[in-house]
Short mmCIF file of all heavy atoms in Angstrom, two decimals:
data_model
loop_
_atom_site.label_atom_id
_atom_site.label_comp_id
_atom_site.label_asym_id
_atom_site.label_seq_id
_atom_site.Cartn_x
_atom_site.Cartn_y
_atom_site.Cartn_z
N LEU A 26 -9.90 19.54 -20.72
CA LEU A 26 -10.77 20.54 -20.10
C LEU A 26 -11.77 21.09 -21.10
O LEU A 26 -12.97 21.20 -20.82
CB LEU A 26 -9.92 21.67 -19.52
CG LEU A 26 -10.69 22.85 -18.92
CD1 LEU A 26 -11.51 22.40 -17.71
CD2 LEU A 26 -9.73 23.97 -18.53
N ARG A 27 -11.30 21.39 -22.29
CA ARG A 27 -12.18 21.94 -23.34
C ARG A 27 -13.26 20.93 -23.72
O ARG A 27 -14.42 21.29 -23.88
CB ARG A 27 -11.35 22.32 -24.55
CG ARG A 27 -12.08 23.20 -25.54
CD ARG A 27 -11.16 23.59 -26.69
NE ARG A 27 -11.38 24.92 -27.21
CZ ARG A 27 -12.49 25.36 -27.76
NH1 ARG A 27 -13.53 24.59 -27.82
NH2 ARG A 27 -12.59 26.58 -28.22
N GLN A 28 -12.87 19.68 -23.89
CA GLN A 28 -13.85 18.65 -24.23
C GLN A 28 -14.88 18.49 -23.12
O GLN A 28 -16.06 18.30 -23.38
CB GLN A 28 -13.15 17.30 -24.47
CG GLN A 28 -12.26 17.26 -25.70
CD GLN A 28 -13.02 17.54 -26.98
OE1 GLN A 28 -12.84 18.56 -27.62
NE2 GLN A 28 -13.91 16.63 -27.35
N GLY A 29 -14.41 18.58 -21.87
CA GLY A 29 -15.33 18.48 -20.75
C GLY A 29 -16.31 19.64 -20.70
O GLY A 29 -17.49 19.46 -20.42
N LEU A 30 -15.81 20.85 -20.99
CA LEU A 30 -16.68 22.02 -21.01
C LEU A 30 -17.74 21.90 -22.11
O LEU A 30 -18.91 22.26 -21.91
CB LEU A 30 -15.86 23.29 -21.22
CG LEU A 30 -15.04 23.76 -20.02
CD1 LEU A 30 -14.06 24.83 -20.43
CD2 LEU A 30 -15.97 24.27 -18.91
N MET A 31 -17.34 21.41 -23.28
CA MET A 31 -18.27 21.27 -24.40
C MET A 31 -19.10 19.99 -24.31
O MET A 31 -20.03 19.80 -25.08
CB MET A 31 -17.49 21.29 -25.72
CG MET A 31 -16.79 22.60 -26.02
SD MET A 31 -17.91 24.01 -26.09
CE MET A 31 -18.88 23.61 -27.54
N ARG A 32 -18.70 19.09 -23.39
CA ARG A 32 -19.37 17.79 -23.23
C ARG A 32 -19.38 17.01 -24.54
O ARG A 32 -20.37 16.44 -24.96
CB ARG A 32 -20.79 17.98 -22.70
CG ARG A 32 -20.80 18.66 -21.33
CD ARG A 32 -22.17 18.82 -20.76
NE ARG A 32 -22.10 19.64 -19.54
CZ ARG A 32 -23.14 19.94 -18.81
NH1 ARG A 32 -24.33 19.50 -19.13
NH2 ARG A 32 -23.00 20.68 -17.73
N ARG A 33 -18.21 17.00 -25.18
CA ARG A 33 -18.03 16.29 -26.44
C ARG A 33 -17.05 15.13 -26.24
O ARG A 33 -15.91 15.35 -25.89
CB ARG A 33 -17.45 17.21 -27.51
CG ARG A 33 -18.35 18.36 -27.91
CD ARG A 33 -17.65 19.24 -28.94
NE ARG A 33 -18.47 20.38 -29.31
CZ ARG A 33 -18.00 21.43 -29.98
NH1 ARG A 33 -16.72 21.50 -30.29
NH2 ARG A 33 -18.79 22.42 -30.30
N HIS A 34 -17.51 13.94 -26.45
CA HIS A 34 -16.66 12.74 -26.40
C HIS A 34 -15.83 12.69 -25.11
O HIS A 34 -14.65 12.35 -25.15
CB HIS A 34 -15.73 12.69 -27.61
CG HIS A 34 -16.42 12.95 -28.91
ND1 HIS A 34 -17.43 12.14 -29.41
CD2 HIS A 34 -16.26 13.93 -29.84
CE1 HIS A 34 -17.85 12.61 -30.57
NE2 HIS A 34 -17.16 13.70 -30.85
N VAL A 35 -16.45 13.06 -23.99
CA VAL A 35 -15.70 13.15 -22.72
C VAL A 35 -15.19 11.78 -22.29
O VAL A 35 -14.02 11.64 -21.91
CB VAL A 35 -16.57 13.79 -21.62
CG1 VAL A 35 -15.79 13.87 -20.31
CG2 VAL A 35 -17.03 15.17 -22.05
N LEU A 36 -16.04 10.76 -22.35
CA LEU A 36 -15.62 9.43 -21.93
C LEU A 36 -14.44 8.94 -22.78
O LEU A 36 -13.44 8.46 -22.25
CB LEU A 36 -16.78 8.44 -22.03
CG LEU A 36 -16.45 6.99 -21.68
CD1 LEU A 36 -15.94 6.86 -20.26
CD2 LEU A 36 -17.67 6.09 -21.91
N ALA A 37 -14.57 9.07 -24.11
CA ALA A 37 -13.50 8.62 -25.01
C ALA A 37 -12.22 9.41 -24.77
O ALA A 37 -11.12 8.84 -24.78
CB ALA A 37 -13.95 8.75 -26.46
N THR A 38 -12.34 10.71 -24.53
CA THR A 38 -11.18 11.56 -24.28
C THR A 38 -10.46 11.13 -23.00
O THR A 38 -9.24 10.96 -22.99
CB THR A 38 -11.61 13.03 -24.18
OG1 THR A 38 -12.17 13.45 -25.43
CG2 THR A 38 -10.44 13.94 -23.83
N CYS A 39 -11.22 10.96 -21.92
CA CYS A 39 -10.62 10.57 -20.65
C CYS A 39 -10.00 9.17 -20.73
O CYS A 39 -8.90 8.94 -20.22
CB CYS A 39 -11.67 10.60 -19.54
SG CYS A 39 -12.30 12.26 -19.18
N LEU A 40 -10.71 8.25 -21.40
CA LEU A 40 -10.19 6.90 -21.55
C LEU A 40 -8.90 6.88 -22.36
O LEU A 40 -7.94 6.19 -22.02
CB LEU A 40 -11.22 5.99 -22.23
CG LEU A 40 -12.26 5.34 -21.33
CD1 LEU A 40 -13.28 4.58 -22.17
CD2 LEU A 40 -11.60 4.42 -20.32
N PHE A 41 -8.87 7.67 -23.45
CA PHE A 41 -7.67 7.72 -24.29
C PHE A 41 -6.47 8.19 -23.48
O PHE A 41 -5.39 7.59 -23.55
CB PHE A 41 -7.89 8.63 -25.50
CG PHE A 41 -6.74 8.65 -26.46
CD1 PHE A 41 -6.74 7.80 -27.55
CD2 PHE A 41 -5.65 9.49 -26.27
CE1 PHE A 41 -5.67 7.79 -28.43
CE2 PHE A 41 -4.58 9.48 -27.14
CZ PHE A 41 -4.59 8.64 -28.23
N CYS A 42 -6.65 9.26 -22.72
CA CYS A 42 -5.55 9.80 -21.92
C CYS A 42 -5.11 8.81 -20.85
O CYS A 42 -3.91 8.60 -20.64
CB CYS A 42 -5.97 11.11 -21.26
SG CYS A 42 -6.18 12.47 -22.42
N ALA A 43 -6.08 8.20 -20.18
CA ALA A 43 -5.76 7.27 -19.10
C ALA A 43 -5.03 6.03 -19.63
O ALA A 43 -4.04 5.59 -19.05
CB ALA A 43 -7.04 6.85 -18.36
N VAL A 44 -5.52 5.48 -20.75
CA VAL A 44 -4.88 4.29 -21.33
C VAL A 44 -3.49 4.64 -21.85
O VAL A 44 -2.53 3.87 -21.66
CB VAL A 44 -5.76 3.69 -22.45
CG1 VAL A 44 -5.00 2.62 -23.23
CG2 VAL A 44 -7.04 3.11 -21.86
N SER A 45 -3.35 5.80 -22.49
CA SER A 45 -2.03 6.22 -22.99
C SER A 45 -1.04 6.36 -21.84
O SER A 45 0.10 5.88 -21.92
CB SER A 45 -2.14 7.56 -23.74
OG SER A 45 -2.92 7.42 -24.91
N ASP A 46 -1.47 7.01 -20.77
CA ASP A 46 -0.60 7.15 -19.60
C ASP A 46 -0.25 5.80 -19.01
O ASP A 46 0.90 5.56 -18.61
CB ASP A 46 -1.27 8.02 -18.54
CG ASP A 46 -0.82 9.47 -18.61
OD1 ASP A 46 -0.32 9.88 -19.68
OD2 ASP A 46 -0.95 10.19 -17.60
N ALA A 47 -1.24 4.90 -18.95
CA ALA A 47 -0.98 3.57 -18.39
C ALA A 47 0.09 2.85 -19.20
O ALA A 47 1.00 2.23 -18.63
CB ALA A 47 -2.27 2.75 -18.36
N LEU A 48 0.00 2.93 -20.52
CA LEU A 48 1.00 2.28 -21.38
C LEU A 48 2.38 2.89 -21.19
O LEU A 48 3.39 2.17 -21.10
CB LEU A 48 0.58 2.37 -22.85
CG LEU A 48 -0.67 1.58 -23.26
CD1 LEU A 48 -1.08 1.92 -24.69
CD2 LEU A 48 -0.41 0.09 -23.11
N LEU A 49 2.44 4.22 -21.12
CA LEU A 49 3.72 4.90 -20.97
C LEU A 49 4.33 4.66 -19.59
O LEU A 49 5.54 4.46 -19.47
CB LEU A 49 3.54 6.40 -21.22
CG LEU A 49 3.25 6.78 -22.68
CD1 LEU A 49 2.76 8.22 -22.78
CD2 LEU A 49 4.48 6.58 -23.54
N ILE A 50 3.49 4.67 -18.56
CA ILE A 50 3.99 4.40 -17.21
C ILE A 50 4.52 2.97 -17.13
O ILE A 50 5.61 2.72 -16.58
CB ILE A 50 2.89 4.65 -16.16
CG1 ILE A 50 2.62 6.15 -16.03
CG2 ILE A 50 3.28 4.06 -14.80
CD1 ILE A 50 1.37 6.50 -15.23
N ALA A 51 3.76 2.04 -17.69
CA ALA A 51 4.21 0.63 -17.68
C ALA A 51 5.53 0.49 -18.42
O ALA A 51 6.43 -0.22 -17.96
CB ALA A 51 3.14 -0.26 -18.30
N ALA A 52 5.65 1.19 -19.54
CA ALA A 52 6.90 1.13 -20.31
C ALA A 52 8.05 1.71 -19.50
O ALA A 52 9.17 1.17 -19.50
CB ALA A 52 6.74 1.89 -21.62
N GLY A 53 7.79 2.80 -18.77
CA GLY A 53 8.84 3.41 -17.95
C GLY A 53 9.28 2.50 -16.83
O GLY A 53 10.48 2.33 -16.58
N VAL A 54 8.31 1.88 -16.16
CA VAL A 54 8.64 0.98 -15.05
C VAL A 54 9.38 -0.25 -15.56
O VAL A 54 10.26 -0.78 -14.89
CB VAL A 54 7.36 0.59 -14.28
CG1 VAL A 54 7.64 -0.50 -13.26
CG2 VAL A 54 6.76 1.82 -13.59
N LEU A 55 9.04 -0.68 -16.78
CA LEU A 55 9.71 -1.86 -17.35
C LEU A 55 11.07 -1.52 -17.98
O LEU A 55 11.73 -2.40 -18.51
CB LEU A 55 8.81 -2.52 -18.40
CG LEU A 55 7.54 -3.17 -17.84
CD1 LEU A 55 6.65 -3.66 -18.97
CD2 LEU A 55 7.91 -4.33 -16.91
N GLY A 56 11.45 -0.25 -17.95
CA GLY A 56 12.80 0.10 -18.39
C GLY A 56 12.93 0.81 -19.71
O GLY A 56 14.03 0.90 -20.25
N ALA A 57 11.83 1.36 -20.25
CA ALA A 57 11.95 2.09 -21.51
C ALA A 57 12.74 3.38 -21.35
O ALA A 57 13.25 3.93 -22.32
CB ALA A 57 10.56 2.40 -22.08
N GLY A 58 12.87 3.84 -20.09
CA GLY A 58 13.68 5.03 -19.85
C GLY A 58 15.12 4.81 -20.25
O GLY A 58 15.82 5.73 -20.68
N VAL A 59 15.57 3.57 -20.13
CA VAL A 59 16.94 3.23 -20.53
C VAL A 59 17.09 3.39 -22.04
O VAL A 59 18.10 3.89 -22.54
CB VAL A 59 17.27 1.78 -20.11
CG1 VAL A 59 18.64 1.38 -20.60
CG2 VAL A 59 17.19 1.65 -18.61
N LEU A 60 16.04 2.98 -22.78
CA LEU A 60 16.06 3.11 -24.24
C LEU A 60 16.18 4.56 -24.65
O LEU A 60 16.94 4.90 -25.56
CB LEU A 60 14.80 2.48 -24.85
CG LEU A 60 14.63 2.67 -26.36
CD1 LEU A 60 15.75 1.96 -27.11
CD2 LEU A 60 13.27 2.14 -26.81
N ALA A 61 15.41 5.43 -23.98
CA ALA A 61 15.48 6.85 -24.30
C ALA A 61 16.88 7.40 -24.06
O ALA A 61 17.36 8.27 -24.78
CB ALA A 61 14.45 7.63 -23.47
N GLY A 62 17.56 6.88 -23.03
CA GLY A 62 18.92 7.32 -22.76
C GLY A 62 19.91 6.83 -23.79
O GLY A 62 20.89 7.49 -24.09
N ARG A 63 19.65 5.66 -24.37
CA ARG A 63 20.56 5.11 -25.37
C ARG A 63 20.26 5.59 -26.78
O ARG A 63 21.11 5.47 -27.66
CB ARG A 63 20.47 3.58 -25.34
CG ARG A 63 21.01 2.99 -24.05
CD ARG A 63 20.95 1.49 -24.04
NE ARG A 63 21.48 0.93 -22.82
CZ ARG A 63 21.42 -0.34 -22.49
NH1 ARG A 63 20.84 -1.20 -23.30
NH2 ARG A 63 21.93 -0.76 -21.35
N ALA A 64 19.05 6.08 -27.01
CA ALA A 64 18.67 6.59 -28.34
C ALA A 64 18.09 7.99 -28.20
O ALA A 64 16.89 8.20 -28.35
CB ALA A 64 17.67 5.64 -29.01
N PRO A 65 18.95 8.97 -27.90
CA PRO A 65 18.46 10.34 -27.68
C PRO A 65 17.79 10.95 -28.90
O PRO A 65 17.01 11.88 -28.78
CB PRO A 65 19.72 11.11 -27.29
CG PRO A 65 20.86 10.28 -27.78
CD PRO A 65 20.41 8.86 -27.75
N TRP A 66 18.07 10.41 -30.10
CA TRP A 66 17.44 10.94 -31.31
C TRP A 66 15.92 10.76 -31.28
O TRP A 66 15.19 11.54 -31.92
CB TRP A 66 18.02 10.27 -32.56
CG TRP A 66 17.74 8.79 -32.63
CD1 TRP A 66 18.52 7.77 -32.17
CD2 TRP A 66 16.58 8.18 -33.19
NE1 TRP A 66 17.93 6.56 -32.40
CE2 TRP A 66 16.73 6.78 -33.04
CE3 TRP A 66 15.44 8.67 -33.82
CZ2 TRP A 66 15.77 5.87 -33.48
CZ3 TRP A 66 14.48 7.77 -34.26
CH2 TRP A 66 14.65 6.39 -34.10
N VAL A 67 15.43 9.77 -30.52
CA VAL A 67 13.99 9.57 -30.41
C VAL A 67 13.35 10.77 -29.72
O VAL A 67 12.37 11.34 -30.20
CB VAL A 67 13.68 8.27 -29.65
CG1 VAL A 67 12.18 8.13 -29.41
CG2 VAL A 67 14.21 7.06 -30.40
N LEU A 68 13.93 11.18 -28.59
CA LEU A 68 13.41 12.35 -27.89
C LEU A 68 13.60 13.62 -28.71
O LEU A 68 12.76 14.52 -28.68
CB LEU A 68 14.10 12.50 -26.53
CG LEU A 68 13.71 11.47 -25.46
CD1 LEU A 68 14.50 11.71 -24.19
CD2 LEU A 68 12.23 11.52 -25.19
N GLU A 69 14.68 13.68 -29.47
CA GLU A 69 14.93 14.86 -30.31
C GLU A 69 13.88 14.98 -31.40
O GLU A 69 13.35 16.07 -31.68
CB GLU A 69 16.34 14.76 -30.93
CG GLU A 69 16.78 16.00 -31.66
CD GLU A 69 17.07 17.18 -30.74
OE1 GLU A 69 17.04 17.02 -29.50
OE2 GLU A 69 17.32 18.26 -31.27
N ALA A 70 13.55 13.85 -32.04
CA ALA A 70 12.52 13.86 -33.09
C ALA A 70 11.17 14.24 -32.50
O ALA A 70 10.40 15.02 -33.09
CB ALA A 70 12.44 12.48 -33.75
N MET A 71 10.87 13.73 -31.32
CA MET A 71 9.60 14.07 -30.67
C MET A 71 9.58 15.54 -30.28
O MET A 71 8.53 16.20 -30.35
CB MET A 71 9.39 13.20 -29.43
CG MET A 71 9.02 11.78 -29.76
SD MET A 71 8.45 10.86 -28.34
CE MET A 71 9.44 11.47 -27.02
N ARG A 72 10.72 16.05 -29.89
CA ARG A 72 10.79 17.47 -29.48
C ARG A 72 10.40 18.38 -30.63
O ARG A 72 9.55 19.26 -30.48
CB ARG A 72 12.21 17.79 -29.00
CG ARG A 72 12.38 19.23 -28.56
CD ARG A 72 13.73 19.42 -27.88
NE ARG A 72 14.84 19.37 -28.79
CZ ARG A 72 15.36 20.46 -29.38
NH1 ARG A 72 14.86 21.65 -29.15
NH2 ARG A 72 16.39 20.34 -30.19
N TRP A 73 10.96 18.14 -31.81
CA TRP A 73 10.67 19.00 -32.97
C TRP A 73 9.27 18.75 -33.52
O TRP A 73 8.56 19.70 -33.88
CB TRP A 73 11.73 18.82 -34.05
CG TRP A 73 13.01 19.50 -33.68
CD1 TRP A 73 14.16 18.92 -33.22
CD2 TRP A 73 13.26 20.92 -33.67
NE1 TRP A 73 15.10 19.86 -32.92
CE2 TRP A 73 14.58 21.10 -33.20
CE3 TRP A 73 12.50 22.02 -33.99
CZ2 TRP A 73 15.14 22.36 -33.06
CZ3 TRP A 73 13.06 23.28 -33.85
CH2 TRP A 73 14.37 23.45 -33.39
N GLY A 74 8.86 17.49 -33.56
CA GLY A 74 7.51 17.18 -34.02
C GLY A 74 6.46 17.79 -33.11
O GLY A 74 5.47 18.37 -33.56
#
Side-chain angles (χ1 to χ4, degrees):
L26 175 64
R27 194 177 215 299
Q28 293 300 112
L30 286 168
M31 295 301 294
R32 300 182 188 181
R33 296 178 182 166
H34 313 298
V35 180
L36 177 60
T38 297
C39 295
L40 275 175
F41 185 94
C42 291
V44 170
S45 295
D46 263 21
L48 293 172
L49 290 166
I50 289 168
V54 172
L55 292 174
V59 176
L60 174 64
R63 293 181 179 173
W66 64 268
V67 174
L68 288 178
E69 188 70 6
M71 286 192 324
R72 180 171 72 92
W73 285 104

